Amino acid sequence: MGRRPKITTDPVAETPEVAAAAPVVRRRRRRTGAIDHVAQTALLVESLLKTRGAQGASQEELQSVIAWARGVHGEAEELKTLVGRPRRQKALASPERMAAFELNKALLDSVLAGTIGVNVSSSGAIVFIDPVTE
């Protein structure tokens, strides 16, 4: 099987004036993993304040919840780089680490979706609650 012959086009279409008139459109790679931290922070603050009710929340409590969410995203990025290196994957991305990340990611997604609420206990631990029963 040989190559197909090159199809010739109309000589008018190949002139430099026509080629210069049509701009070259280059495709850019889309980033689908971009996280809107501002919108996410607003949702986390709203969830915490909703579960706390009239108590309100201190700045330290809000910062601990936001730091937890950012830690989940940081762990996702780190695990993504480890998956790209199969030799180091077993040593650094243990099944326990993957399970902990998947749990934290599921909790974060549920808080952002509004299906569960987030609270901070008196000891400073993050507590997840059902917003319907609260």
Side-chain angles (χ1 to χ4, degrees):
M1 295 228 151
R3 290 185 167 178
R4 287 186 172 184
K6 189 174 183 180
I7 298 174
T8 59
T9 59
D10 189 20
V12 175
E14 294 181 0
T15 61
E17 296 83 23
V18 173
V24 176
V25 178
R26 298 183 191 260
R27 294 172 35 186
R28 289 188 175 177
R29 186 177 213 174
R30 290 186 182 181
R31 295 185 67 192
T32 57
I35 300 166
D36 186 3
H37 288 290
V38 175
Q40 192 175 77
T41 299
L43 289 172
L44 290 170
V45 168
E46 179 183 342
S47 176
L48 182 61
L49 292 175
K50 197 180 292 184
T51 58
R52 303 280 299 204
Q55 285 180 330
S58 68
Q59 186 174 0
E60 290 81 21
E61 292 169 336
L62 292 169
Q63 285 178 344
S64 68
V65 171
I66 293 167
W68 166 75
R70 298 249 172 123
V72 172
H73 293 301
E75 181 74 4
E77 290 297 318
E78 190 171 329
L79 288 174
K80 188 186 297 185
T81 60
L82 291 177
V83 170
R85 297 184 251 162
R87 288 188 206 166
R88 298 185 67 193
Q89 182 179 5
K90 289 184 180 178
L92 297 176
S94 66
E96 294 84 16
R97 184 175 178 183
M98 291 294 292
F101 165 71
E102 289 169 0
L103 173 67
N104 283 327
K105 181 69 173 146
L107 288 170
L108 178 60
D109 290 342
S110 297
V111 169
L112 294 175
T115 56
I116 64 172
V118 65
N119 198 353
V120 179
S121 68
S122 59
S123 64
I126 297 174
V127 180
F128 300 95
I129 59 173
D130 185 9
V132 176
T133 59
E134 188 61 25

